Amino acid sequence: RAKIRADVGSLLDDNESESNRVIVLDDNMYYRSMRKQWYHLCRDRRCAYHQIFLQAPTAVCLERNRHREAADRVPDFSIEHMAEVFEWPPCGGNTWEAQEGISLIIDAETPTLEQVQKVILAQSKVNFWRPVPKESVAVEDVQSDGHNCDVALRKIVTRALAGVPKELGPLKSTLAKQWGARKAEYTKRVAKNTGGTPASDLIQEAEMSFLQSCVADMQQALRESAAGPAAGYGREASQTNASESK
């Protein structure tokens, strides 16, 4: 992510091109802080910034995920967790996301891709190239601590373990130990924070990274289960635990 941010910054700083340039970032960005860093990047460079949300019920998202190719499918708990913690932009007020032209929420439950594209194109005709204005009010960052990080990551572990398929039942305790050790390491990092970054931002970054690692573990376990006995994953998980505890 740091490399992507640097690459985007370089593109925005490139003044040699005489034509307007559109950069599209396709990501979940379910926390407001994830989106705000891009807003600030555009504001500091006097560029336009727009964010588009495709909103659909969790059940619809889960069903679409089941119809993906096996290599692209993610565990259900990943989608369920994001749906639970997703921070949608406010409809009113003086926050940066409520400014005119910044946020657009589209109903993505039934429309086709072509219909969604038409909505986006219609919206883009109104002040599309207008630079991001300065924020009118300061948004306070809510400070947190290691305990809050532990609680947030524990929710992911609980949901992830509940989503372990029956065929992976014997691996449940292995995954629980692996995720527990990793959770403790993330919590320590947040608790030791002495820099200027708000703890709430660190927790959200830790939660995102932790969730991705749990998804990767589950996908690996499913692949090895389909290929044969799961003993290979058990050995690798044990090695991972050992390396993480060093």
Side-chain angles (χ1 to χ4, degrees):
R1 289 177 180 272
K3 184 180 183 304
I4 294 176
R5 181 179 173 84
D7 290 344
V8 172
S10 297
L11 289 173
L12 294 177
D13 291 335
D14 181 11
N15 296 320
E16 296 181 2
S17 176
E18 296 181 358
S19 60
N20 291 327
R21 173 178 287 160
V22 176
I23 301 174
V24 179
L25 297 174
D26 183 10
D27 201 349
N28 292 320
M29 298 191 192
Y30 48 95
Y31 282 128
R32 190 167 292 109
S33 61
M34 298 175 183
R35 307 187 291 266
K36 191 173 184 180
Q37 62 176 317
W38 297 108
Y39 171 84
H40 280 170
L41 186 70
C42 293
R43 185 194 64 182
D44 294 344
R45 287 167 170 78
R46 299 295 295 158
C47 298
Y49 172 85
H50 306 278
Q51 51 188 25
I52 301 171
F53 301 83
L54 301 180
Q55 190 175 59
T58 304
V60 173
C61 296
L62 292 171
E63 183 63 24
R64 289 173 178 169
N65 182 54
R66 295 187 186 102
H67 286 86
R68 286 174 170 171
E69 295 294 333
D72 298 326
R73 199 175 303 139
V74 299
D76 285 354
F77 75 81
S78 174
I79 295 174
E80 292 167 345
H81 175 74
M82 288 188 187
E84 179 182 345
V85 302
F86 202 103
E87 295 179 346
W88 295 96
C91 297
N94 296 320
T95 65
W96 66 272
E97 288 192 303
Q99 296 180 74
E100 182 181 4
I102 294 294
S103 304
L104 173 63
I105 301 178
I106 298 177
D107 178 8
E109 179 178 1
T110 55
T112 63
L113 178 60
E114 290 74 16
Q115 290 172 325
V116 171
Q117 290 174 337
K118 287 181 179 179
V119 174
I120 295 174
L121 290 174
Q123 183 73 15
S124 67
K125 295 179 180 179
V126 182
N127 296 324
F128 185 77
W129 299 107
R130 184 178 62 186
V132 171
K134 293 292 184 180
E135 292 181 50
S136 58
V137 294
V139 180
E140 296 183 0
D141 288 308
V142 180
Q143 299 295 324
S144 188
D145 53 21
H147 172 74
N148 288 337
C149 181
D150 181 79
V151 171
L153 300 187
R154 192 182 303 151
K155 289 182 179 179
I156 296 178
V157 172
T158 299
R159 175 160 276 162
L161 290 175
V164 174
K166 293 182 179 179
E167 61 268 25
L168 296 182
L171 282 178
K172 205 165 187 177
S173 60
T174 302
L175 289 170
K177 292 179 181 178
Q178 182 176 353
W179 292 339
R182 189 179 297 152
K183 174 176 68 68
E185 182 61 31
Y186 276 97
T187 300
K188 287 180 182 178
R189 293 176 191 173
V190 172
K192 292 180 180 179
N193 172 46
T194 57
T197 304
S200 57
D201 289 353
L202 290 178
I203 290 176
Q204 291 179 358
E205 292 174 4
E207 188 174 342
M208 177 178 61
S209 177
F210 184 77
L211 177 62
Q212 291 173 340
S213 67
C214 290
V215 168
D217 291 339
M218 185 78 80
Q219 290 175 326
Q220 178 183 341
L222 288 171
R223 286 194 299 269
E224 295 191 1
S225 176
Y233 178 82
R235 289 196 298 270
E236 184 170 341
S238 297
Q239 294 171 357
T240 302
N241 282 333
S243 63
E244 288 179 345
S245 62
K246 289 180 181 179

